[in-house]
Amino acid sequence: DIHAGTSIAPVPVIALSKGSLETMKERTDGTVVKSEQLLKNYCYGHPDSDLLLYPYSHGINLVNHHSTKSNVKLRWWNDSSPYFNRTLLELQQSSRLMFELVATNPIKKGDEIYMDYGDEWDNAWQNHMESWRPDPNNFHVSAETMNNNDDFHVLRTENEQQLQPYPQDVFTSCYYRYSDNNLLKPNQKRSMVVWKPTNGMISLRNLRPCRIIQRDPMTNFTSSNNQVSFHIYTVIVMNRPGLKESERIPKGHVHVVSHVPRNAIVFFRKSVYIRSALARCFSQGDRLGIYFLRSGKT
C-alpha cells in the first residue's frame, strides 16, 4: 500500500510551444482549416501562456481524470525552481524541469490512480461532448475498418490517390522480406524483383511501408474451371524503425517489387506522434493553471 504524501513517480517534462503543435489541413472541398496535433491533449499548460509541458515518464499518461475520486496530485520537484524564469529555448536544452506524482490519499494494491485536471478542463470536456457533431467535409475511416471493408479491397495507385486520397493518418504496408532478394550490385540506384510467397512471409516482423505505383488485373481458373479475377500490385517498399540490418534497403536506393498479391498489403495507422488531430476533435492542453499561477509563467 502507498501512504498519503508518498512520492509515487518522477514526472520529467519536455517544454514545447503551443504554436509548434498547430498544423494546417486542407479539406476535400479545398478549404483550409487550422488543426492541432493530438499530443496537446497529453500536455500541461496555462491558458495565458504559450508554454506546454509534455510528461514522458513511464505510466504518467495512464493516470486519468476524476474530479471526486482523485488520489494523486502533481507537485514541482525541489530542484525545478531555478528554471521557472528560463526561456523556452533554455528549458528545451535542459532536462532538469520535473514534477513528481504524489499520493493525496492512501492507495491500495489494485486501486486505479486518478488526478483532478481541474474545473476548466472538466467544463471544456463536457462542452465538447454536448456540442460535438461530425464534420461532413472530413469523413474519417480507420485503418482497421479499411482492412475489413470490401470497398477498399481494390487498392488505389499513387496517381489515383492524388484525386481520391486515403485518410491522412493511414498508409499502406506490405509483407516483404528484403533479405530474400538482396542481390544489389555496387552503386545500383534502383532494383526490381518479383514478390515470392516464402515460408513465414505473412508476419508482423515482415510488415513495412510501401507505395502502390501500379495495379494489374489478372485471371485464374479454379479446379472446376471457374474463372476468378483479381489484381496484383507493383509497389516501392521502404524501411521502418526496428528492422534488422539485413532487412534495411540502402539509403537512396529505390526497391520495386512486382506481383504483390492483395492479401500481402494492409492499411496501417500512422504513429500518434506524427498524427494531427482530426477536425472537431477535443483539444485541451491547459491542465496546470494553479501550478503556473504559483510559480510564474514563461
Side-chain angles (χ1 to χ4, degrees):
D1 292 357
I2 299 175
H3 300 291
T6 302
S7 178
I8 298 175
V11 186
V13 292
I14 298 173
L16 303 168
S17 68
K18 290 180 180 178
S20 68
L21 299 184
E22 293 180 352
T23 61
M24 303 301 291
K25 181 177 180 180
E26 185 176 357
R27 289 174 167 169
T28 55
D29 63 0
T31 59
V32 177
V33 294
K34 181 185 289 188
S35 182
E36 292 176 322
Q37 295 185 42
L38 295 180
L39 182 66
K40 184 179 178 183
N41 283 346
Y42 298 91
C43 293
Y44 303 125
H46 187 280
D48 295 334
S49 172
D50 186 54
L51 177 67
L52 291 174
L53 299 176
Y54 172 68
Y56 61 93
S57 62
H58 178 69
I60 184 61
N61 285 326
L62 299 178
V63 179
N64 291 314
H65 165 68
H66 206 295
S67 58
T68 60
K69 294 183 179 180
S70 62
N71 49 16
V72 297
K73 67 178 182 179
L74 286 172
R75 73 181 177 202
W76 287 109
W77 182 49
N78 289 336
D79 291 349
S80 291
S81 56
Y83 296 87
F84 288 162
N85 295 316
R86 302 290 178 90
T87 65
L88 175 62
L89 180 60
E90 289 173 327
L91 291 176
Q92 290 175 334
Q93 294 173 341
S94 170
S95 60
R96 306 286 291 178
L97 194 62
M98 186 181 302
F99 294 105
E100 54 184 346
L101 198 63
V102 180
T104 56
N105 296 309
I107 302 175
K108 297 180 179 180
K109 182 178 180 180
D111 286 353
E112 185 165 355
I113 296 179
Y114 292 111
M115 182 167 59
D116 186 359
Y117 293 169
D119 292 341
E120 185 175 349
W121 188 95
D122 207 18
N123 292 336
W125 173 250
Q126 293 301 324
N127 290 337
H128 172 77
M129 292 290 289
E130 293 172 3
S131 62
W132 185 87
R133 298 293 184 274
D135 185 350
N137 296 314
N138 194 44
F139 181 71
H140 181 260
V141 183
S142 69
E144 182 180 10
T145 299
M146 294 170 72
N147 285 326
N148 294 285
N149 192 320
D150 289 340
D151 291 342
F152 298 96
H153 183 72
V154 177
L155 299 173
R156 302 168 195 158
T157 65
E158 281 193 322
N159 287 337
E160 291 171 336
Q161 290 178 49
Q162 295 297 317
L163 297 175
Q164 195 176 5
Y166 290 130
Q168 68 179 60
D169 64 332
V170 170
F171 64 97
T172 47
S173 291
C174 299
Y175 291 104
Y176 178 71
R177 260 199 305 257
Y178 176 66
S179 57
D180 291 345
N181 300 283
N182 185 6
L183 301 173
L184 297 183
K185 299 176 182 179
N187 301 320
Q188 187 176 354
K189 296 298 183 182
R190 187 181 180 94
S191 59
M192 185 168 184
V193 299
V194 175
W195 190 90
K196 299 176 182 178
T198 54
N199 185 40
M201 175 67 78
I202 307 299
S203 170
L204 284 176
R205 66 175 176 269
N206 298 322
L207 197 61
R208 56 201 303 155
C210 64
R211 293 158 42 201
I212 301 169
I213 58 176
Q214 186 172 317
R215 180 183 64 245
D216 295 298
M218 298 289 288
T219 301
N220 228 335
F221 291 89
T222 66
S223 56
S224 57
N225 209 33
N226 291 324
Q227 183 173 311
V228 178
S229 298
F230 58 97
H231 292 92
I232 57 172
Y233 298 87
T234 301
V235 305
I236 296 175
V237 295
M238 296 171 286
N239 293 324
R240 63 166 173 80
L243 286 173
K244 296 187 297 184
E245 190 62 33
S246 61
E247 294 295 337
R248 297 192 66 80
I249 299 167
K251 186 176 181 180
H253 183 83
V254 178
H255 191 61
V256 181
V257 183
S258 66
H259 293 77
V260 182
R262 177 61 180 87
N263 69 324
I265 306 175
V266 297
F267 293 102
F268 213 76
R269 182 177 66 86
K270 293 180 182 178
S271 301
V272 67
Y273 71 89
I274 59 172
R275 188 174 169 218
S276 296
L278 301 174
R280 309 191 186 190
C281 274
F282 179 69
S283 179
Q284 182 76 14
D286 304 325
R287 296 190 284 172
L288 273 189
I290 186 66
Y291 294 89
F292 282 98
L293 287 173
R294 289 176 178 171
S295 304
K297 300 189 289 290
T298 299

